Amino acid sequence: MEAVLKEKKVVIGITGGIAAYKAAELVSSLMKHGARAKVIMTKNATEFISPLTLETLSGNPVYYDMFSRTSPWEIDHISLAKWADVLAVVPATANIIGKVCHGIADDLLTTTIMATQAQVIFAPAMNTNMYKNPIVQENIEALKKKGYIFVSPAEGRLACGDVGEGKLAAIEDILRAITDYFVRKQDLKGIRVLVTAGPTREYLDPVRFISNPSSGKMGFAIAAACASRGAEVELVTGPVRLSPPEGVNMHPVETALEMYERVMKLYPSCHIVFKSAAVSDYRPQAYHEQKIKKDSDRLVLTLVKNPDILKELGRRKKDQILVGFAAETHNVLENAMKKIREKNLDFILANDVTQSGAGFMGDTNKGDLITRVGEIIEIPLLGKNEFAHRMIDEVLKRSPHLAIRKNC
Ligand code: CTP
């Protein structure tokens, strides 16, 4: 990352949201990686964080007034627009997204965005209901179609007390999006990747099912990361509340059996499989066509085993690379190693789900990527997007034959 960002000129646009203070961390990280940073703040942003902080971190004056010129012979919004290699709006409010989408340029930041030929990246942060508002979503979609890059917000407890999507993405994910833009890494071009994500649902009757709290975020992040690196991606996903990643073929399924069918169909034409779905190991033996009534005091459920999809992939494996996931609460490495052998895998990502920040519900992950020969690669606590890229980096480093295969 360091080499890629060295001497790159990044303009950070800060708008007026509570997450404005986090932009300071981004500026600091960019500087640490050798980039050059200039900051534009909207008037509202200056209410949340002092320009002095950003000035000190970036080593440059902070621009926030349309009509005060830092040098008498330069018009700031034009010179900043030309200076930028990339312009990142962090955090981006619903207001700035709406304005840019509709061509409004009424302050220094919006005029600079309008005038620049550099790539603009938005990292939205706002209240969940605002973020989900169809007007905001339509604006985001329209801007994406025009080539603007978005770093999706995370889910969690927001400053207003609400819980949901709208929290500014992890700073390392925003940094990664900026780096990716420069690298335009296409190291998966010509490779077909199969990713599974989310939970499965095993129905008892039309209104009840057995499931688990998997959010699908890890699988979606892997799919998005692979697509951004040029892969053709098939994403088989259980029911989740996430928007489809850009450039990915989606295959929504509900039950383990449906996932099994779809995965087996796609498998022969794929080179790598990331099996991150939390598949239900059992399903009710009987499905009741009508809602089960609470007539008796006890209800005994008989469950039968679902097929182990990954194990079957291991059995049918020709030259695919199989990456499994092991969510464990105890004997983590031991159990994960056992799964590598039993399922004929090349890699397994072992998660100790008892540790905070790891596992299938949050926006971060940490774990050990274990190879077939027992090498253990520790991946530290990172935002799930950055985590996905790290994991892909490690898998590719150890799979030189992929380069040959993609030319076949
Ligand atoms: N898996 C699968 N099909 C299943 C169960 C699991 O494909 N019916 C895959 C998961 O997607 C994951 C890996 O197998 O990549 C390990 O899943 P995990 O739930 O950790 O372990 P299990 O194999 O189910 O074993 P156990 O629950 O006993 O730990």
Side-chain angles (χ1 to χ4, degrees):
M1 195 178 275
E2 192 137 323
V4 176
L5 290 173
K6 205 158 183 62
E7 291 303 315
K8 294 291 186 302
K9 291 175 275 180
V10 184
V11 171
I12 306 293
I14 307 179
T15 65
I18 187 70
Y21 75 95
K22 294 185 184 168
E25 197 189 327
L26 178 64
V27 173
S28 161
S29 297
L30 283 166
M31 300 301 288
K32 276 186 201 138
H33 286 97
R36 295 164 64 192
K38 289 189 180 181
V39 176
I40 303 176
M41 297 177 78
T42 61
K43 195 169 173 299
N44 288 347
T46 62
E47 300 284 336
F48 288 94
I49 179 167
S50 154
L52 183 62
T53 308
L54 283 316
E55 224 156 74
T56 313
L57 289 171
S58 68
N60 274 310
V62 165
Y63 302 80
Y64 47 89
D65 186 349
M66 184 76 190
F67 300 103
S68 83
R69 301 217 181 143
T70 35
S71 74
W73 58 89
E74 276 187 340
I75 302 167
D76 282 343
H77 69 274
I78 302 297
S79 61
L80 285 165
K82 284 187 182 159
W83 183 84
D85 291 326
V86 74
L87 194 161
V89 186
V90 183
T93 54
N95 185 45
I96 185 98
I97 292 167
K99 278 196 202 173
V100 176
C101 186
H102 293 93
I104 296 169
D106 62 353
D107 63 6
L108 188 62
L109 181 57
T110 45
T111 46
T112 310
I113 292 174
M114 241 19 107
T116 194
Q117 290 190 330
Q119 175 68 52
V120 179
I121 299 175
F122 288 102
M126 63 195 82
N127 166 274
T128 303
N129 292 338
M130 283 176 88
Y131 183 66
K132 295 227 163 111
N133 187 313
I135 299 171
V136 174
Q137 286 301 317
E138 275 169 28
N139 289 342
I140 291 175
E141 286 314 309
L143 287 173
K144 275 187 185 169
K145 282 200 184 109
K146 291 192 171 79
Y148 291 82
I149 295 173
F150 279 78
V151 187
S152 299
E155 211 169 289
R157 193 178 167 76
L158 306 173
C160 55
D162 286 1
V163 175
E165 220 175 340
K167 215 169 92 174
L168 185 70
I171 292 301
E172 60 260 35
D173 285 342
I174 301 172
L175 203 60
R176 163 65 75 169
I178 296 172
T179 314
D180 275 358
Y181 165 69
F182 289 119
V183 178
R184 289 191 194 278
K185 264 212 248 177
Q186 293 289 294
D187 53 2
L188 283 175
K189 211 165 180 64
I191 295 289
R192 279 174 57 83
V193 180
L194 172 58
V195 183
T196 69
T200 61
R201 286 181 180 174
E202 311 301 326
Y203 282 90
L204 305 169
D205 70 13
V207 292
R208 300 184 184 96
F209 53 80
I210 296 171
S211 192
N212 61 67
S214 166
S215 65
K217 285 178 186 168
M218 195 62 246
F220 273 56
I222 294 169
C226 290
S228 78
R229 295 165 78 143
E232 200 174 315
V233 183
E234 308 292 342
L235 175 57
V236 181
T237 175
V240 292
R241 292 162 54 201
L242 298 170
S243 345
E246 205 82 349
V248 160
N249 302 319
M250 295 281 289
H251 303 269
V253 295
E254 281 201 89
T255 65
L257 291 177
E258 285 168 12
M259 184 172 280
Y260 179 91
E261 291 300 325
R262 189 54 66 101
V263 164
M264 293 308 152
K265 223 175 189 163
L266 294 164
Y267 185 48
S269 64
C270 289
H271 300 107
I272 314 180
V273 180
F274 290 96
K275 189 73 191 56
S276 68
V279 184
S280 184
D281 288 332
Y282 295 90
R283 66 180 184 279
Q285 184 171 35
Y287 172 73
H288 295 255
E289 296 290 345
Q290 289 174 341
K291 187 180 171 202
I292 302 168
K293 300 308 263 178
K294 56 169 187 299
D295 297 331
S296 53
D297 288 341
R298 275 165 62 84
L299 176 68
V300 178
L301 275 180
T302 305
L303 302 176
V304 292
K305 219 172 192 172
N306 270 326
D308 188 320
I309 305 171
L310 188 54
K311 196 167 181 180
E312 184 55 25
L313 295 180
R315 207 183 59 77
R316 297 185 189 190
K317 183 159 83 169
K318 292 211 162 65
D319 52 5
Q320 287 96 340
I321 290 169
L322 277 190
V323 187
F325 288 72
E328 305 290 346
T329 53
H330 57 286
N331 299 339
V332 180
L333 294 181
E334 222 172 283
N335 285 331
M337 290 298 295
K338 195 164 156 239
K339 283 174 191 171
I340 286 204
R341 285 191 302 274
E342 284 177 0
K343 303 193 188 201
N344 191 21
L345 309 179
D346 300 282
F347 299 89
I348 198 157
L349 193 278
N351 272 140
D352 181 348
V353 286
T354 60
Q355 288 197 22
S356 75
F360 44 43
M361 281 196 294
D363 293 312
T364 58
N365 204 357
K366 67 175 167 183
D368 290 317
L369 184 69
I370 307 171
T371 69
R372 212 180 158 81
V373 292
E375 187 190 354
I376 299 170
I377 306 131
E378 191 189 326
I379 307 184
L381 182 70
L382 292 167
K384 280 188 170 166
N385 295 340
E386 176 62 14
F387 190 93
H389 277 287
R390 285 286 182 93
M391 205 166 73
I392 296 165
D393 291 343
E394 299 299 341
V395 167
L396 291 187
K397 258 190 242 166
R398 287 162 184 79
S399 312
H401 52 299
L402 254 187
I404 303 163
R405 219 175 301 157
K406 70 181 177 185
N407 297 325
C408 297

